[in-house]
Amino acid sequence: MKHVRRFTPSLFLSLVHVCLVQANYAPYFFDNGARSTNGNMALLSLSEDTPVGTHVYTLNGTDPEGDPVTYGLAYEAGSRRYFSVDKNLGNVTLIEELDREKEDEIEVIVSISDGLSTVSEKVRILVMDANDESPEFINTPYIVQVPENTPSGSSIFKIEAVDKDTGSGGSITYFLQNIHANKFTIDRHSGVLRIKTGVTLDYEKSRTHFVVVVAKDGGGKLRGDNKVFSATTTVTVNVVDVQDTPPMFIGTPYYGYVYEDTLAGSEVLTVVALDGDRGNPNSIHYCIVNGDEGSFEISNTTGAISVIKSPNQLKKEVYELKVQASEVSQEGDISVYAFAMVTIRVVDLNNHPPTFYGENGPQNRFELTMYEHPPEGEILRGLKITVNDSDQGANAKFNLRLVGPGGIFRVVPQTVLNEAQVTIIVENSAAIDYEKFKVLTFKLLAIEVNTPEKFSSTADVVIRLLDTNDNVPKFSSDYYIARIPENSPGGSNVVAVTATDPDSGLWGEVKYSIYGTGADLFLIHPSTGIIYTQPWAVLDAEVNSKYNFYVKAEDTDGKYSLAEVFITVLDVNDHSPEFNENIQEKTMIIGSPVKIEAIDQDAEEPNNIVDYSIMQADPANVFDIDQSTGEIKLKSYIRSLDIIHNITKNKDCIWSLVVQAKDRGSPSFSTTAVLKIDITEETLHKGPMAAFLMQTKDNPMKALGVLAGVMGIMVLITIMISTAMFWRNKRSNKIMPVRRIIKKRQTPQPRTIRMEWLKFKRPSNAGEKFVVEDDAKSLQNENSNNNIQVAPVPPTAPLPPPPPTMAPRGDAPGWRGPTVSGSLTPKFINKQLKKRGHGSAHNALVSELKMKFEKRNAAIGEPHI
């Protein structure tokens, strides 16, 4: 609001200057209404969950003269500052958390200033509710006293909870946890707690109930989310007892005893009854209704029953008393009552212990002889035992017990009154074993049950067992493993088996025998169980190194058991290494080794491992041999035949070596052989023909025969080609294209080779090697002369000449040669060695023939298939 000074005469002179100065108007706020976000903050409302730091409003105003304005916020003294303002922009920011439950209205003084005038206004900001409060129970804890006879459906308590929120967030509904297990229900709106319909409370069954009540608000928005809050409390319902239960006797049934020395007026026993209403019990009055016959009386207050006559005046042995217990109210009235039966027995003094009797009177030792393993449930009829207690009543009651190895026998009866015949019954037949116990000893014990003295007596029961053949011979092991060298003589011991039969006498004697497919070479001593080889048996680990059979142990009744015997024949170094028959002569190309091989027929290592060595060579220091593989090669400095010629004057370069094959057995055996090595250089012409010529240089007839065969084949091919072309040109005026000759793949014939010569098999029909086949394009000639479709049959080619007979060289060394351990005659060692029978000469010959055919086909332009 604009301030104006009052006009006075003293200011008259100053008015001269006023006419020259413009009037100043105060600034003012815009009033944009309650829903506006800028203006003077009038009627602004904020939710209490508005986060601190939020821009909540913008102060907005103007100055009539157009001067810039600034804004301000002020609070009354003692008030909390909730907002701050940017004095230039007018942006109002929340700086303190709002809580509607503490302060629902905030008064703020807003101001606007143009530098000369300031206008202030007091505005009221409303704080709106958010659902940020949980329900709270009031007047807790809740403890309710409810009489047990309260009718079902009755209300017993009202629970009240409050929620400081407004609206739905402040509304409260109630419900119970575990509603099905409760005996109570609650009104969801009023909070009234009631007993369920059809349910009653019972003090004697349950004195206290704990009811968990949940109060839940109606939910509402909190920081943009819908929130529902709840609270729980426990109501303790104490059930108050009401007199509605009759008295109850404690410790029933009741038994009492009057002994022969009991004095008149002595207390026999006491009965006890309690009011069933434990919360506020009444006193109990006792009385005897009937059955006492003037011999007993009871205390009205304590329930103690006493005998009022001496025992010798009591005419009955057992008295049945009917006792009544009545409740007496505080007014002295007898309301409800209950009954109990009391049994009183008149007994004498316990002055006789139990006693055992035999056929001739009292006896404390009983003996019996019987066979082992009687049937279970059988009675030991040889024992005549009686037990007796001369006392009467409870004093004559005692238990029988058999003390000794448990679970073998049981005694009948186990409880005796006065007297009984004692019976002992077999319970575990397997435990009655002669091999375990020759004699079984037990104590028969009789001990009183209910007497203070616990009188007792014992008797010895001795049972002597007789043996039966109830055991099978049993080996010390299920199987026996033995080893025997193969050079063991006939009758050598191998292994001893042992079987035992615990039976006595003849039943315990064991007889041994063996059987099975592997037992032919062995015998067993029937009494000692020693297994030995047949006198004529010859063991050979190379033939059979494993034997397996069964041994049988049998008693005199035919009961037996079996064990398995595994015998391993140990290899002995009894074979010398034997050279392969191809060792007689070898051809060595300088730079390539030759190999010798010897086989040792021993079964196991190291007896069958062979080492090779050169025993003698002239001149020496020319050859080396690989100890393990048998490969022989020249010394590293020998690289040509010239070096060989410098070493020896023997120009044919055939050297003899004495080689040795020695096994690693102990003792070791060895074999020597003479090996001739023909040394040659590698030729420039490599291939199968060169290899063949190298191998046949010492046997020119062999090479001549092969060349003759090749020439015959070439003649045959030439004749077939000429004949085919003649017949083809004869049928056509024009020269036909050369027909393709396709050679069938020849089925290889089995070949055998020997060291002395090569043996060729003649083909059954040499003409079958070739078939003339027209080319697909030549089936129709250019003159369309297609009348002739069948090609002429080629003429039969002559058979190749037979191979020449090759005689062995006269200077070839014999197969025998001196050895260290004897002489060696080469022979085929086994089938595996026979597979190696194709020598290097045979392989070279086959390769050479194949190459000749290929060269010949290429020369005449024929395809080779």
Side-chain angles (χ1 to χ4, degrees):
M1 192 173 178
K2 195 171 183 181
H3 301 275
V4 181
R5 296 184 179 180
R6 182 178 298 176
F7 181 79
T8 58
S10 61
L11 298 177
F12 176 79
L13 293 178
S14 64
L15 291 179
V16 179
H17 302 283
V18 172
C19 61
L20 300 177
V21 179
Q22 187 180 355
N24 181 31
Y25 295 94
Y28 61 90
F29 283 104
F30 296 125
D31 188 359
N32 296 328
R35 297 179 180 272
S36 176
T37 60
N38 62 80
N40 60 354
M41 288 183 71
L43 301 179
L44 174 65
S45 61
L46 293 175
S47 177
E48 63 177 331
D49 60 350
T50 302
V52 175
T54 303
H55 173 214
V56 296
Y57 197 81
T58 300
L59 293 177
N60 191 9
T62 184
D63 183 72
E65 288 82 17
D67 295 333
V69 295
T70 59
Y71 305 96
L73 289 179
Y75 299 88
E76 293 185 357
S79 297
R80 181 178 296 181
R81 297 177 59 86
Y82 285 95
F83 306 97
S84 65
V85 66
D86 186 317
K87 66 178 182 178
N88 295 319
L89 300 178
N91 293 333
V92 179
T93 303
L94 182 66
I95 62 173
E96 183 73 23
E97 185 177 355
L98 302 176
D99 189 350
R100 189 202 65 84
E101 285 73 31
K102 295 181 179 178
E103 190 171 1
D104 59 355
E105 290 184 357
I106 301 173
E107 290 186 351
V108 179
I109 300 173
V110 296
S111 61
I112 183 171
S113 175
D114 61 0
L116 297 176
S117 301
T118 301
V119 177
S120 299
E121 295 181 8
K122 179 182 289 187
V123 294
R124 183 170 296 171
I125 299 170
L126 302 179
V127 180
M128 307 305 293
D129 187 40
N131 190 25
D132 60 344
E133 297 290 336
S134 299
E136 294 182 2
F137 291 95
I138 60 175
N139 300 324
T140 57
Y142 298 134
I143 301 175
V144 185
Q145 307 294 333
V146 182
E148 63 177 332
N149 58 354
T150 301
S152 62
S154 302
S155 62
I156 59 173
F157 191 68
K158 179 176 173 44
I159 297 164
E160 189 175 357
V162 294
D163 193 317
K164 297 178 182 179
D165 291 320
T166 60
S168 63
S171 63
I172 297 177
T173 56
Y174 305 90
F175 60 93
L176 302 182
Q177 289 185 352
N178 302 324
I179 184 65
H180 299 291
N182 274 322
K183 291 188 175 185
F184 307 92
T185 62
I186 192 170
D187 186 282
R188 63 191 307 269
H189 297 294
S190 65
V192 174
L193 189 65
R194 289 184 172 87
I195 302 175
K196 276 185 180 180
T197 303
V199 175
T200 59
L201 304 179
D202 191 344
Y203 176 86
E204 285 70 35
K205 292 182 179 179
S206 180
R207 300 183 182 183
T208 303
H209 299 273
F210 297 98
V211 183
V212 179
V213 181
V214 179
K216 182 175 67 173
D217 63 19
K221 292 290 184 179
L222 178 63
R223 296 182 180 90
D225 296 329
N226 190 46
K227 296 289 186 179
V228 177
F229 293 98
S230 63
T232 60
T233 188
T234 300
V235 179
T236 303
V237 179
N238 294 324
V239 182
V240 179
D241 189 24
V242 176
Q243 286 294 332
D244 58 352
T245 305
M248 295 180 295
F249 282 96
I250 305 300
T252 58
Y254 295 110
Y255 294 96
Y257 299 93
V258 176
Y259 299 98
E260 58 184 349
D261 60 346
T262 301
L263 299 177
S266 298
E267 182 179 321
V268 178
L269 79 160
T270 299
V271 297
V272 177
L274 299 177
D275 187 354
D277 302 306
R278 304 295 179 85
N280 186 21
N282 291 326
S283 59
I284 304 298
H285 179 271
Y286 302 94
C287 65
I288 297 175
V289 178
N290 56 44
D292 61 322
E293 298 183 4
S295 301
F296 300 91
E297 64 179 5
I298 188 171
S299 172
N300 295 334
T301 57
T302 64
I305 301 175
S306 303
V307 60
I308 58 177
K309 292 183 180 179
S310 61
N312 58 2
Q313 293 177 333
L314 300 178
K315 298 178 181 180
K316 297 172 63 176
E317 184 177 347
V318 178
Y319 290 87
E320 296 286 344
L321 309 182
K322 185 178 182 180
V323 178
Q324 175 180 308
S326 304
E327 289 187 22
V328 180
S329 64
Q330 296 179 357
E331 293 79 12
D333 299 329
I334 295 177
S335 55
V336 292
Y337 50 84
F339 297 98
M341 297 302 298
V342 178
T343 301
I344 299 177
R345 183 181 298 275
V346 180
V347 296
D348 64 341
L349 292 175
N350 183 28
N351 49 12
H352 296 90
T355 305
F356 292 99
Y357 294 87
E359 293 180 340
N360 300 320
Q363 187 175 333
N364 59 5
R365 183 179 177 87
F366 300 88
E367 296 185 3
L368 174 67
T369 300
M370 60 181 290
Y371 283 102
E372 62 177 337
H373 304 303
E376 292 184 0
E378 181 176 298
I379 298 174
L380 304 187
R381 302 186 184 280
L383 295 175
K384 307 289 186 181
I385 306 174
T386 303
V387 64
N388 175 268
D389 191 326
S390 300
D391 291 320
Q392 299 297 320
N395 291 338
K397 185 178 180 180
F398 55 92
N399 289 338
L400 285 178
R401 190 168 55 188
L402 203 59
V403 181
I408 300 178
F409 298 100
R410 62 186 175 91
V411 63
V412 176
Q414 294 184 351
T415 302
V416 179
L417 184 62
N418 292 116
E419 184 176 300
Q421 183 75 30
V422 178
T423 301
I424 297 178
I425 301 174
V426 176
E427 195 170 43
N428 186 358
S429 176
I432 307 174
D433 192 348
Y434 176 84
E435 285 71 36
K436 295 180 181 178
F437 309 101
K438 304 294 189 294
V439 178
L440 293 172
T441 303
F442 297 89
K443 287 284 188 183
L444 188 59
L445 172 64
I447 182 170
E448 293 178 349
V449 179
N450 296 322
T451 62
E453 296 82 8
K454 299 291 183 182
F455 288 144
S456 63
S457 62
T458 60
D460 293 327
V461 178
V462 179
I463 300 175
R464 305 184 186 279
L465 299 180
L466 301 177
D467 193 22
T468 60
N469 188 20
D470 60 332
N471 291 283
V472 175
K474 186 176 182 181
F475 282 98
S476 59
S477 176
D478 293 334
Y479 56 89
Y480 295 88
I481 299 175
R483 298 174 177 82
I484 182 171
E486 63 177 340
N487 61 353
S488 300
S492 298
N493 291 346
V494 180
V495 66
V497 299
T498 304
T500 57
D501 191 327
D503 292 321
S504 60
L506 296 177
W507 291 327
E509 295 182 359
V510 178
K511 179 181 179 181
Y512 300 96
S513 60
I514 60 175
Y515 66 94
T517 56
D520 298 338
L521 298 182
F522 303 93
L523 297 173
I524 188 170
H525 193 281
S527 300
T528 62
I530 296 176
I531 298 175
Y532 55 95
T533 59
Q534 295 272 13
W536 47 265
V538 177
L539 303 178
D540 191 344
E542 290 74 38
V543 176
N544 189 2
S545 61
K546 303 290 183 182
Y547 294 90
N548 173 223
F549 52 85
Y550 291 93
V551 60
K552 179 180 180 180
E554 186 177 10
D555 64 14
T556 54
D557 270 357
K559 295 184 176 181
Y560 67 91
S561 63
L562 301 175
E564 198 166 3
V565 179
F566 299 89
I567 297 177
T568 301
V569 178
L570 300 177
D571 184 44
V572 176
N573 193 24
D574 55 354
H575 288 82
S576 299
E578 296 181 1
F579 279 104
N580 189 315
E581 66 177 3
N582 293 330
I583 194 177
Q584 185 178 11
E585 186 172 343
K586 299 282 185 180
T587 298
M588 176 184 289
I589 298 175
I590 294 178
S592 300
V594 297
K595 185 177 181 180
I596 61 174
E597 185 176 8
I599 303 297
D600 193 314
Q601 294 188 9
D602 284 315
E604 299 176 0
E605 297 180 357
N607 297 335
N608 58 6
I609 299 179
V610 179
D611 294 330
Y612 302 93
S613 61
I614 298 175
M615 303 298 297
Q616 183 178 352
D618 188 16
N621 201 27
V622 173
F623 297 96
D624 285 329
I625 190 170
D626 190 294
Q627 179 181 355
S628 302
T629 65
E631 287 189 349
I632 301 175
K633 57 184 178 180
L634 294 172
K635 295 287 187 178
S636 60
Y637 66 87
I638 300 177
R639 299 184 178 87
S640 66
L641 284 177
D642 295 337
I643 300 176
I644 299 292
H645 294 159
N646 292 333
I647 296 175
T648 176
K649 297 180 179 181
N650 189 2
K651 300 302 181 181
D652 58 4
C653 299
I654 298 178
W655 289 11
S656 297
L657 302 179
V658 178
V659 294
Q660 182 188 62
K662 184 177 182 181
D663 62 29
R664 296 184 184 179
S666 181
S668 176
F669 289 97
S670 63
T671 301
T672 59
V674 177
L675 172 65
K676 288 192 174 183
I677 299 179
D678 184 4
I679 304 176
T680 183
E681 283 187 323
E682 186 177 8
T683 62
L684 297 176
H685 301 285
K686 298 182 180 179
M689 178 60 75
F692 174 74
L693 293 176
M694 288 299 298
Q695 293 184 6
T696 58
K697 71 176 185 175
D698 294 331
N699 195 349
M701 294 301 295
K702 182 186 299 185
L704 183 60
V706 172
L707 293 176
V710 172
M711 292 176 65
I713 294 172
M714 294 173 61
V715 171
L716 174 62
I717 293 172
T718 304
I719 293 172
M720 292 177 65
I721 293 172
S722 300
T723 303
M725 294 181 64
F726 171 78
W727 284 104
R728 182 175 181 182
N729 294 331
K730 186 177 181 180
R731 293 188 185 99
S732 176
N733 295 329
K734 297 183 70 174
I735 298 176
M736 302 296 292
V738 178
R739 296 186 180 182
R740 186 174 56 188
I741 298 177
I742 299 177
K743 184 177 70 175
K744 287 186 178 180
R745 190 182 301 273
Q746 185 177 2
T747 303
Q749 299 294 331
R751 299 182 178 90
T752 58
I753 183 168
R754 302 184 63 181
M755 293 302 298
E756 291 81 9
W757 63 84
L758 292 172
K759 185 176 182 181
F760 293 93
K761 284 191 176 182
R762 296 185 180 183
S764 60
N765 189 356
E768 294 176 359
K769 294 183 179 180
F770 302 95
V771 176
V772 178
E773 180 181 349
D774 289 342
D775 194 352
K777 295 183 180 180
S778 64
L779 292 179
Q780 185 175 359
N781 55 31
E782 295 180 359
N783 297 327
S784 301
N785 185 6
N786 296 327
N787 296 327
I788 299 173
Q789 300 293 335
V790 181
V793 179
T796 303
L799 297 175
T805 303
M806 291 178 284
R809 296 177 57 182
D811 58 349
W815 285 99
R816 293 183 176 274
T819 65
V820 175
S821 59
S823 62
L824 169 69
T825 301
K827 59 183 180 180
F828 289 110
I829 304 304
N830 49 33
K831 292 183 179 179
Q832 184 177 5
L833 293 178
K834 289 182 179 180
K835 293 182 180 179
R836 305 175 189 168
H838 299 290
S840 60
H842 175 257
N843 294 333
L845 177 58
V846 174
S847 300
E848 182 66 23
L849 288 175
K850 182 177 179 182
M851 181 175 290
K852 288 290 185 181
F853 282 128
E854 293 175 351
K855 288 182 178 180
R856 175 61 182 170
N857 293 335
I860 62 177
E862 295 175 354
H864 174 66
I865 297 179

